[in-house]
Amino acid sequence: MRNSVALSQPGILFLLVTCPLLTILHGVTCKAESGHLGENDPDRCMRHHFVETITHPIYKCNSKMVLLARCEGHCSHTSRSDPMISFSSVLKQPFKSTCFCCRPHTSKLKAVRLRCSGGTRITATYRYILACSCEECS
C-alpha cells in the first residue's frame, strides 16, 4: 500500500489509500504496454481489448465474435515543426515536423472461419496487436 494515510476520530479509523483505480483494473483486464509516460499513468500508450462481431458483407454466413486489440493513449513527446533552411527559391518541404503516435509495435496474423449457406466456409483474417509503443509518425 503506497501513499496511505490513516485518519482517526474517536471510535472510527479511516484508511485512505491513494492508488489509481484504473491501474488496478488495467492490471487485471489489460496488459499494459510501454508508453513514454509513467507506467502508472492510465492515459499512456497501451493496448486495449474489445469484442467485435465478424460478418461477411455479401454472403449469408454465421457471424463470430472475436477478441481484438487496439493501441490507444498519449505519448509524452512534444510534437514540433522546425523551419527548413534552403538556398533555393522553391521550398518543397518548408518545415520538418516530428510527432509521436501510439501505434502497434508487434502483432500476429489471426484467422476466423465462417460457415456459410450451402456448406461453404469463408476465412476472415486480421492482425491481433500484441504490444503498443510510441513511435514517430510518418
Side-chain angles (χ1 to χ4, degrees), residues 54 64-68 108-114 121-128:
I54 297 179
K64 281 198 177 173
M65 293 176 70
V66 294
L67 180 67
L68 299 175
K108 68 179 177 181
L109 186 64
K110 285 192 154 194
V112 173
R113 297 198 73 181
L114 303 177
R121 292 181 181 252
I122 294 179
T123 302
T125 58
Y126 61 95
R127 301 292 305 186
Y128 180 77

Side-chain angles (χ1 to χ4, degrees), residues 29-96:
T29 61
C30 293
K31 180 179 175 186
E33 305 303 334
S34 60
H36 287 74
L37 296 176
E39 286 299 314
N40 291 331
D41 188 337
D43 294 329
R44 72 190 179 281
C45 176
M46 62 188 296
R47 180 175 63 169
H48 294 269
H49 293 99
F50 64 100
V51 175
E52 185 75 33
T53 301
I54 297 179
T55 58
H56 195 280
I58 300 170
Y59 302 114
K60 289 188 175 186
C61 303
N62 291 342
S63 57
K64 281 198 177 173
M65 293 176 70
V66 294
L67 180 67
L68 299 175
R70 69 173 167 260
C71 292
E72 186 177 338
H74 299 286
C75 298
S76 67
H77 296 291
T78 302
S79 298
R80 65 187 256 183
S81 293
D82 292 320
M84 298 293 289
I85 306 298
S86 174
F87 294 100
S88 169
S89 60
V90 178
L91 280 171
K92 291 182 182 177
Q93 292 284 326
F95 300 101
K96 180 184 184 326

